Amino acid sequence: MSAAGYVRASAAICTFFFKNLSNLRRLERLTDNVNAKLATRCDTFVIEEDRDYVRQYNDDLAALRQTVKREVPPTSVFPSEFLSSVLLFFGIRALCICTALWSDTPVMATFAASLLQFVVLPFSLHVAFLHLLVLALPLFGPHYAAVGILHMLVPEWASVHVEIGLAFVATFVLIDQFLCLLLCFETPKGKAKHKDGSTLLLHGLYGFFNCKTYTVILLLVLRGFRVNLTVWLLDVVLGLTNKLSALSGQHLYRWGIIFYHQHRVAHIPVVYNQAHKFHHYLHDTTAFDAHIYGAGAPEEWWSLFLEAGMGLKFGLYPAVLGFPIMMQSFSSKIGHTRTENGENGGVNHHADHHTLHQKNFGFGSTVFVDMLFGTNADNDVYEVGLYTVSRSESEHPTKTTFTFVRTTRSDAEAEDLELQIQRYYSPTLETCTVMLQRAVQRMFSK
């Protein structure tokens, strides 16, 4: 790979990403319209959307794929080459853990060691940056703004602190892993599809390096940092982070829409192998394969050092320890768990993405966006929540028409499915507690 080809391909990717942000506004209006109709619970309704910008987006993306292939030709299609990249990268992650643990200057030593990632996976540099932008608007920005405000308002005498030490790190990671294990038996959206012990062990080990080392390295670098529990509890009670996140979605970009856009970019050939494919390496998915929303570990570099920097420079505890982000992470674990009845309401939509790989890029209320862009598992008919959605197209004018028809179910069945979907997309402490109780019972009844 030539340096000039790498620069040209990287510039083309970033140009495509920022150029097409304007299309996201149109998608936001579309999703608002759909959600407003869904809220009425009417039996049927029709939504029409212009298809010209969809065609242009897909054409631009196809051209970008060809540009990247031309500038950086794939050197091999053999899985062994990717496996070598995985082993090298995981070795770098292990080195970062060692420097964070034993170096006299853990921050600088870990930062220096982490830069080896871009020698092995050069495209992960800008892919990780785009990943940071996607997370910054709905997650990182609102978290640090809320925590910063509360820090200024809470006097020192009212502050209660807990220090991040080795015991804290170990406890946090073990609880996280235990939750992943429980979700392999029971989820808020129903019973998890059975996977044998060897499969769970493989996903657990691989998922630890791909998803959990982010938190391990971050917390080890922040050893000695004192988390203000008073601020943490106030944010839980007042919901300030969530309110600022909602405000960001109203005036900037919506989480689900910008996620779809970045996700399409992450699957571009060549680039995909150096970043997001780490999240797809194992066929199918489990809760062990999820982090904040599910990403390849090479995509997290900028986010990792942003969180470390905000803690060390400004004294703000990292977003991964914030309650809203913990719930987002838990929701991601649910979304990465395949359930036995997951075809009902489309709640296996993202799990199917991990078997189809080039389909189902959206999630939640943006599932029909996949249908609009032709990237859904079934673009013609698909079940979304309590509705069956069918798609048709016309050329004059160039429009896509979605027909939503409420599925025929008894009131009790509809209410149960609606509750499952709500628990899937917006898990609460109450639903999580019920799920955990059922999971423990199912796990020990085996």
Side-chain angles (χ1 to χ4, degrees):
M1 178 175 64
S2 69
Y6 168 77
V7 171
R8 286 193 293 267
S10 299
I13 291 167
C14 292
T15 299
F16 170 84
F17 181 85
F18 290 107
K19 172 188 172 184
N20 282 280
L21 284 177
S22 59
N23 289 328
L24 303 188
R25 289 297 184 195
R26 304 183 70 165
L27 289 176
E28 287 171 1
R29 290 193 292 270
L30 173 63
T31 55
D32 284 346
N33 193 7
V34 171
N35 289 333
K37 293 287 187 180
L38 291 174
T40 66
R41 298 190 178 186
C42 54
D43 290 335
T44 183
F45 62 91
V46 175
I47 297 289
E48 288 187 338
E49 182 68 5
D50 181 80
R51 205 167 70 251
D52 286 339
Y53 76 93
V54 175
R55 282 180 173 175
Q56 188 62 54
Y57 182 96
N58 285 336
D59 289 346
D60 287 350
L61 185 59
L64 174 61
R65 292 163 70 96
Q66 293 304 314
T67 298
V68 173
K69 286 182 179 180
R70 182 178 66 252
E71 297 293 350
V72 189
T75 56
S76 171
V77 294
F78 296 105
S80 59
E81 179 176 313
F82 179 71
L83 179 58
S84 298
S85 297
V86 170
L87 295 176
L88 283 170
F89 175 77
F90 284 174
I92 294 169
R93 273 287 167 102
L95 176 61
C96 289
I97 291 174
C98 292
T99 56
L101 264 174
W102 293 303
S103 174
D104 293 334
T105 55
V107 178
M108 293 308 300
T110 303
F111 177 79
S114 72
L115 292 175
L116 293 172
Q117 168 182 332
F118 305 120
V119 177
V120 178
L121 307 166
F123 272 112
S124 66
L125 176 65
H126 63 269
V127 174
F129 180 70
L130 296 181
H131 177 268
L132 171 64
L133 291 181
V134 171
L135 292 179
L137 295 176
L139 299 179
F140 290 146
H143 166 79
Y144 287 113
V147 173
I149 292 169
L150 292 174
H151 261 283
M152 290 188 291
L153 297 176
V154 175
E156 184 59 32
W157 60 263
S159 298
V160 178
H161 297 89
V162 60
E163 185 173 308
I164 297 177
L166 292 179
F168 181 99
V169 177
T171 301
F172 189 88
V173 173
L174 286 173
I175 291 174
D176 186 270
Q177 292 290 81
F178 184 62
L179 287 174
C180 291
L181 179 62
L182 292 180
L183 283 166
C184 294
F185 294 89
E186 183 77 29
T187 81
K189 58 179 180 173
K191 182 181 177 182
K193 190 173 181 64
H194 174 73
K195 285 184 169 58
D196 58 53
S198 59
T199 299
L200 290 181
L201 179 61
L202 178 60
H203 280 268
L205 291 173
Y206 183 85
F208 175 80
F209 274 95
N210 185 59
C211 301
K212 317 305 177 186
T213 50
Y214 174 100
T215 305
V216 172
I217 293 169
L218 174 63
L219 296 183
L220 286 178
V221 166
L222 291 175
R223 268 186 302 165
F225 181 91
R226 298 170 72 225
V227 178
N228 192 320
L229 287 182
T230 308
V231 168
W232 190 92
L233 287 170
L234 278 174
D235 189 34
V236 173
V237 173
L238 299 176
L240 186 56
T241 294
N242 287 333
K243 290 173 182 175
L244 291 177
S245 181
L247 196 63
S248 170
Q250 290 174 9
H251 298 284
L252 296 172
Y253 292 101
R254 306 281 175 80
W255 163 241
I257 300 298
I258 198 170
F259 169 84
Y260 177 86
H261 179 44
Q262 187 268 341
H263 201 181
R264 294 288 302 273
V265 173
H267 276 261
I268 294 172
V270 182
V271 176
Y272 174 65
N273 280 23
Q274 295 193 20
H276 193 63
K277 188 176 179 179
F278 281 69
H279 184 52
H280 282 261
Y281 179 56
L282 299 179
H283 188 68
D284 212 347
T285 180
T286 70
F288 289 109
D289 302 300
H291 182 31
I292 292 178
Y293 74 75
E299 297 175 273
E300 299 169 340
W301 188 87
W302 289 94
S303 301
L304 176 60
F305 285 99
L306 167 74
E307 291 212 68
M310 294 300 288
L312 295 169
K313 180 68 175 178
F314 300 104
L316 305 177
Y317 61 81
V320 294
L321 297 183
F323 181 74
I325 311 301
M326 287 182 182
M327 294 305 293
Q328 168 63 35
S329 179
F330 187 73
S331 178
S332 179
K333 290 176 174 61
I334 298 170
H336 283 84
T337 303
R338 184 178 298 280
T339 61
E340 290 185 344
N341 62 343
E343 303 314 312
N344 293 336
V347 293
N348 272 347
H349 184 264
H350 188 74
D352 289 341
H353 173 65
H354 282 262
T355 56
L356 301 170
H357 302 295
Q358 293 298 325
K359 297 289 185 180
N360 295 12
F361 292 97
F363 73 96
S365 61
T366 62
V367 168
F368 67 91
V369 172
D370 270 307
M371 298 179 72
L372 177 65
F373 282 83
T375 56
N376 204 51
D378 188 336
N379 292 310
D380 297 321
V381 180
Y382 198 75
E383 193 168 314
V384 179
L386 299 177
Y387 289 82
T388 297
V389 185
S390 57
R391 185 191 74 157
S392 60
E393 295 181 347
S394 62
E395 292 299 329
H396 303 289
T398 55
K399 288 188 178 296
T400 298
T401 301
F402 294 102
T403 303
F404 289 72
V405 179
R406 190 177 173 93
T407 53
T408 304
R409 290 187 173 91
S410 67
D411 290 343
E413 289 175 329
E415 184 178 348
D416 183 61
L417 177 58
E418 194 168 36
L419 184 59
Q420 287 185 37
I421 295 167
Q422 181 182 0
R423 289 171 175 174
Y424 173 36
Y425 294 124
S426 303
T428 63
L429 280 178
E430 181 183 359
T431 58
C432 293
T433 302
V434 173
M435 181 278 298
L436 293 176
Q437 291 172 345
R438 291 177 179 173
V440 171
Q441 292 170 356
R442 196 181 301 279
M443 182 169 60
F444 289 106
S445 66
K446 294 291 183 181

